[in-house]
């Protein structure tokens, strides 16, 4: 996996560093998952890499395994929450038009209600 880089001005890096408390759902040496502070569904978990990557545009080839890991962790959490069969939505917003507000990539796991399409 890619080396872990930290940005002291990044909210999610500060969570990874333990400087800001999070409602932890899962962690391993490369990934952290926690409940969103402003949930948009009965289950709303954010899955993030420990290393700082600002946006999807900043993903590099050596992040491939890490990026895939975000998805397998999301599926694991969905199974643990009992929502895997009913279904769920995984979203990663990029930059202003994508609705990104925290510039450290994160996969949203949304579940527990029927999602709409197209998204707003
Ligand atoms: P984005 O808009 O960048 O795709 O998603 C950022 C997410 O981070 C939002 O869903 C927002 O509610 C969540 N968030 C922002 N600040 C905090 C925080 O301090 N703690 C937690 N747990 N989630 C946060
Ligand atoms: Zn960061």
């Amino acid at each position: 996996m890619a080396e872990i880089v930290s940005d002291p001005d990044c909210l999610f890096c500060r969570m990874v560093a333990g400087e800001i408390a999070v409602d932890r759902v899962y962690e391993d040496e490369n990934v952290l998952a926690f409940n969103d502070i402003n949930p948009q569904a009965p289950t709303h978990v954010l899955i993030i890499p420990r290393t700082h990557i600002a946006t999807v545009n900043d993903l590099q080839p050596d992040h491939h395994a890490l990026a895939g890991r975000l998805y397998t962790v999301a599926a694991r959490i969905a199974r643990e929450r009992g929502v895997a069969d009913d279904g769920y939505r995984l979203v990663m917003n990029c930059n202003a038009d994508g609705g990104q507000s925290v510039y450290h990539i994160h996969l949203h796991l949304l579940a527990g209600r029927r999602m709409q399409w197209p998204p707003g």
Side-chain angles (χ1 to χ4, degrees), residues 91-105:
V91 178
M92 191 177 288
N93 298 321
C94 182
N95 280 340
D97 277 3
Q100 186 173 5
S101 60
V102 177
Y103 282 78
H104 177 133
I105 61 167

Side-chain angles (χ1 to χ4, degrees), residues 5-7 10-14 50-53 103-104:
V5 176
S6 188
D7 176 347
C10 169
L11 176 68
F12 286 178
C13 283
R14 296 184 67 198
R50 287 188 184 275
T51 194
H52 182 78
I53 301 166
Y103 282 78
H104 177 133

